[in-house]
Amino acid sequence: MPPFPSELAYVPFVSVEHMMGLVHHIGIETMLCDLADEIEADFKRWELFDKTPRVASHSEVGVIEQMPTSDREMYDFKYVKGHPKNTRESLQTVTAFGLLADVDSGYPKLLSEMTLLTTLRTATTSAMAARHLAPKGATAMAMIGNGAQSEFQCLALKAIYGIDTVRLFDVDPLATARCARNLAQSGLNVVPCTSGKQSMEGADIITTCTADKQNATVVTDNMIGSGVHINAIGGDCPGKTELHRDILLRSDIFVEYPPQIRMKGRSRNWKRAILLLNCGR
Ligand SMILES: NC(=O)c1ccc[n+]([C@@H]2O[C@H](COP(=O)([O-])OP(=O)(O)OC[C@H]3O[C@@H](n4cnc5c(N)ncnc54)[C@H](O)[C@@H]3O)[C@@H](O)[C@H]2O)c1
């Protein structure tokens, strides 16, 4: 018989399968609402966190990042990568895992998949921000970029903010069709659109969640009326721009962590960084 390792050597592991089971057990909308309360509580103790801008390793086709933080009791880091070209090869753009450790002993306490968790967290943060910042009583959201994150963004805005309609647009019609199919049983009124401009008709909330490293302008100034709330998510590293600069110049801009946000969504041609609302950890 080979010797057994000490119990201290075991680190609980939450796989994608476990996480999916947990989401199904709790129910997606309940989980999103509970997460929103947790995240909001963490924002209220923001000063306490030991924060560092993410450590990024860029390549022509993507980025691999580590995101460490600590609240002085627990330490964690997330490994996350973003490769917009991946969907053409039937791979995911975003994949992540993370580790939680006890600060006092330094022992790892939990190793977890974070691909699903990232999706849930990002969706929840958009909806939580909208709860505080978006015009009251908005019923429709334009969802631009209908990839892996999008259906969760829609579900979170329904569960946490209270929208009843999503207007979908993606440069890839198959992505829109898939997102619409996945939302068919959600209780949302789902409207597939053929242009970004069309998707914004009657929408007081706009969420951009595109993946592209081409310095693209997905939303131009003339598309945006006054008083609209934008969750800009996809411009989360240099070259992944989404909003035209003029939109930013006439907006109130809310970000999670300025030192990190200034590194993201930066266009080659601009001296100033794009400041995005939801570029989180
Ligand atoms: N801010 C955050 O915290 C956070 C968290 C998760 C993901 N992200 C980012 O969000 C983006 C989307 O992630 P995903 O997992 O859904 O990726 P994905 O590749 O699954 O989906 C992206 C979609 O955007 C579409 N798209 C690309 N350019 C477009 C354009 N100009 N107009 C309309 N649609 C366009 C693509 O066709 C694709 O369907 C990525 O850039 C990712 O890095 C940010």
Side-chain angles (χ1 to χ4, degrees):
M1 283 279 281
F4 285 106
S6 146
E7 276 191 15
L8 289 172
Y10 289 101
V11 181
F13 173 60
V14 181
S15 66
V16 174
E17 193 183 353
H18 294 145
M19 193 61 77
M20 287 172 75
L22 189 64
V23 173
H24 281 282
H25 178 69
I26 295 174
I28 181 69
E29 293 203 10
T30 306
M31 185 144 187
L32 289 165
C33 290
D34 289 354
L35 263 179
D37 292 341
E38 292 292 332
I39 291 174
E40 192 163 322
D42 275 345
F43 273 109
K44 287 181 179 153
R45 57 186 195 120
W46 189 246
E47 295 311 317
L48 211 142
F49 286 94
D50 181 14
K51 298 178 281 295
T52 316
R54 57 182 62 178
V55 182
S57 174
H58 295 282
S59 67
E60 283 295 310
V61 291
V63 62
I64 296 177
E65 299 173 316
Q66 287 171 50
M67 304 179 183
T69 193
S70 162
D71 70 355
R72 321 281 167 180
E73 286 185 17
M74 303 302 286
Y75 168 92
D76 88 293
F77 73 83
K78 178 166 91 172
Y79 166 104
V80 59
K81 60 87 179 166
H83 288 68
K85 64 146 182 92
N86 270 15
T87 50
R88 292 194 293 278
E89 300 158 19
S90 300
L91 298 170
Q92 294 173 138
T93 297
V94 175
T95 309
F97 73 91
L99 179 89
L100 190 67
D102 173 52
V103 167
D104 189 50
S105 68
Y107 264 90
K109 293 293 182 192
L110 186 74
L111 188 61
S112 177
E113 84 78 36
M114 290 192 78
T115 305
L116 256 171
L117 260 192
T118 293
T119 302
L120 297 172
R121 182 223 70 91
T122 307
T124 301
T125 305
S126 293
M128 187 205 64
R131 189 158 71 182
H132 291 281
L133 302 173
K136 301 290 170 236
T139 53
M141 174 174 82
M143 181 73 235
I144 300 178
N146 302 153
Q149 311 300 318
S150 61
E151 68 188 74
F152 294 92
Q153 291 285 327
C154 297
L155 291 173
L157 264 290
K158 171 179 181 278
I160 297 162
Y161 175 87
I163 58 160
D164 60 26
T165 299
V166 286
R167 301 176 60 81
L168 308 179
F169 171 68
D170 195 294
V171 285
D172 176 3
L174 291 178
T176 301
R178 188 175 51 242
C179 183
R181 211 167 41 244
N182 291 348
L183 290 171
Q185 306 300 322
S186 66
L188 281 163
N189 175 27
V190 180
V191 185
C193 299
T194 50
S195 70
K197 192 165 181 290
Q198 188 193 17
S199 72
M200 291 176 206
E201 285 167 13
D204 285 331
I205 299 176
I206 297 165
T207 298
T208 56
C209 193
T210 64
D212 185 349
K213 282 199 96 180
Q214 306 301 314
N215 294 294
T217 301
V218 178
V219 182
T220 52
D221 192 36
N222 61 340
M223 291 174 164
I224 305 292
S226 62
V228 167
H229 173 84
I230 305 175
N231 291 314
I233 299 167
D236 63 351
C237 76
K240 285 164 77 181
T241 48
E242 290 186 316
L243 308 184
H244 190 277
R245 181 177 185 269
D246 290 349
I247 299 170
L248 305 178
L249 295 178
R250 65 179 171 98
S251 301
D252 295 325
I253 298 168
F254 298 82
V255 305
E256 281 173 322
Y257 185 45
Q260 176 170 295
I261 229 89
R262 286 182 191 283
M263 297 177 186
K264 295 156 151 267
R266 199 182 301 141
S267 158
R268 272 193 302 257
N269 304 322
W270 298 355
K271 290 215 172 76
R272 61 170 283 180
I274 296 181
L275 303 180
L276 298 176
L277 173 66
N278 182 0
C279 273
R281 309 181 71 77

